[in-house]
Amino acid sequence: MKFGETFMEYLHGEQDKFLHKCSHVEYKRLKKVLKKCRTCKSLSESCKTEQQGDKEEEEEEDCMCEYQSCPVCDQMFFSELMKEASDIAGCFSSRARSLLQLHVPTGKLRFLFGVRRCFKDEQALKDEGSMLIEYITMNEIAIRKILKKYDKVHCSVNGKNFKSKMKAEHIELLRSPWLMELGAFLLNFNKLDGGEFSESSGHFSCDFNASLSVMTLTLANSIKLEFDLTCAICLDTVYNPYALSCGHLFCKSCACSAASVLIFQGLKTASPDSKCPICREVGVYANAIHMLELDLLLKKRLKEYWKERMSGERAERVKQSKEYWDLQTQYAIGY
Ligand SMILES: [Zn+2]
Ligand SMILES: [Zn+2]
Ligand SMILES: [Zn+2]
């Protein structure tokens, strides 16, 4: 079956209700735009044959630069796609966020009670998690396909370049930290049932490899995602992880020291000028995501390591706050 049909079937299938409130890639409409633009294609083909007579070796190069932008569809095509992608990314993160909040009301509560306080039954939560993963995957495939088609019709690399633009805007769908959280969330459920470590539902599977600290998510169309769970600062498996807005993952304590704030003050207090230690982007601390599901997964799978890191962080926190208050009293007393 052609992807266009598969996608339509997905949009109007069982998950109709779920998808109702979410935006999706207007695959059909974008395809129509490209179809109208076949004039471009015939032009580019005629340019190919013309050149064959002229200079054969430069054929491909020449053709590419001549059609670097398409007056017929560029404006509409890319702005539309950018808007759709950012809507989808937004919809995905807000729904994932609220689903996971149902699962664990707040981080503190979870550690206090040590039990899952579900307001929906577990199966329903799990199903919604799977639906969200499918949602993001289907739309990602649609974007990849339509961009490929664009490049084919225009004989350009604009479609490819557009992907890097999406990355820069942080709307690259499969790079969302929430996808990592959902994967961890499903794995956490699995452990509860006393089942295998790998989770399989028709469309995807996820897997945690403790020796490498990698979480693997295998999606439809053989898209395989590997999430490296190593912190680039301490070079160990992340503990109490936070994902910065650029998507990079660090231990809370490491991120705090990188942003020159104390652990008890938290990442929100970081200066807007603080940079991500990996990509040097600024302003990435204020909306950092606390990866609670991932932390829970590591707590269960790497018990000893997790405990060790917990007492390490606690000791560091106490030391930092003692130094902080000593300094405050010195100022107050004035010596
Ligand atoms: Zn065109
Ligand atoms: Zn670290
Ligand atoms: Zn970064």
Side-chain angles (χ1 to χ4, degrees), residues 9-146:
E9 213 160 79
Y10 165 71
L11 290 179
H12 301 293
E14 288 163 35
Q15 303 185 7
D16 210 21
K17 231 185 193 164
F18 167 83
L19 293 166
H20 189 62
K21 291 169 244 153
C22 292
S23 13
H24 58 84
V25 178
E26 294 289 348
Y27 189 78
K28 245 186 174 166
R29 194 159 76 213
L30 291 169
K31 215 173 143 186
K32 249 185 213 154
V33 175
L34 291 181
K35 219 170 214 160
K36 260 192 217 152
C37 194
R38 293 287 157 148
T39 39
C40 277
K41 201 182 177 187
S42 53
L43 265 175
S44 94
E45 260 158 16
S46 71
C47 107
K48 261 183 210 166
T49 40
E50 236 172 70
Q51 274 170 359
Q52 258 163 12
D54 277 13
K55 294 179 248 164
E56 263 186 58
E57 34 327 339
E58 283 172 39
E59 177 199 317
E60 213 169 292
E61 233 174 288
D62 268 17
C63 188
M64 281 225 183
C65 31
E66 198 147 347
Y67 295 98
Q68 243 162 28
S69 67
C70 164
V72 188
C73 50
D74 269 17
Q75 278 255 314
M76 190 262 168
F77 188 87
F78 287 118
S79 60
E80 181 103 328
L81 199 56
M82 185 58 99
K83 192 188 165 297
E84 279 164 14
S86 85
D87 285 351
I88 292 163
C91 184
F92 175 72
S93 31
S94 72
R95 292 198 66 159
R97 185 193 299 262
S98 59
L99 169 69
L100 298 177
Q101 257 165 10
L102 275 182
H103 186 211
V104 229
T106 75
K108 275 188 190 116
L109 267 182
R110 193 189 71 209
F111 287 113
L112 276 178
F113 295 110
V115 285
R116 294 163 174 273
R117 304 186 54 195
C118 300
F119 298 105
K120 280 187 191 178
D121 70 291
E122 296 208 337
Q123 193 56 43
L125 288 176
K126 219 168 145 176
D127 288 348
E128 192 169 343
S130 306
M131 276 194 275
L132 278 167
I133 293 185
E134 195 179 0
Y135 167 68
I136 205 84
T137 313
M138 289 307 277
N139 281 292
E140 167 72 18
I141 297 171
I143 291 176
R144 288 185 186 187
K145 297 254 180 201
I146 203 76

Side-chain angles (χ1 to χ4, degrees), residues 255-296:
C256 283
S257 74
S260 314
V261 292
L262 301 175
I263 302 175
F264 74 87
Q265 292 174 315
L267 289 175
K268 292 239 182 300
T269 59
S271 143
D273 301 328
S274 305
K275 290 176 182 155
C276 164
I278 296 178
C279 64
R280 316 301 296 161
E281 192 172 324
V282 293
V284 287
Y285 289 91
N287 294 316
I289 299 168
H290 192 185
M291 308 287 279
L292 289 166
E293 291 293 336
L294 184 59
D295 193 42
L296 189 60

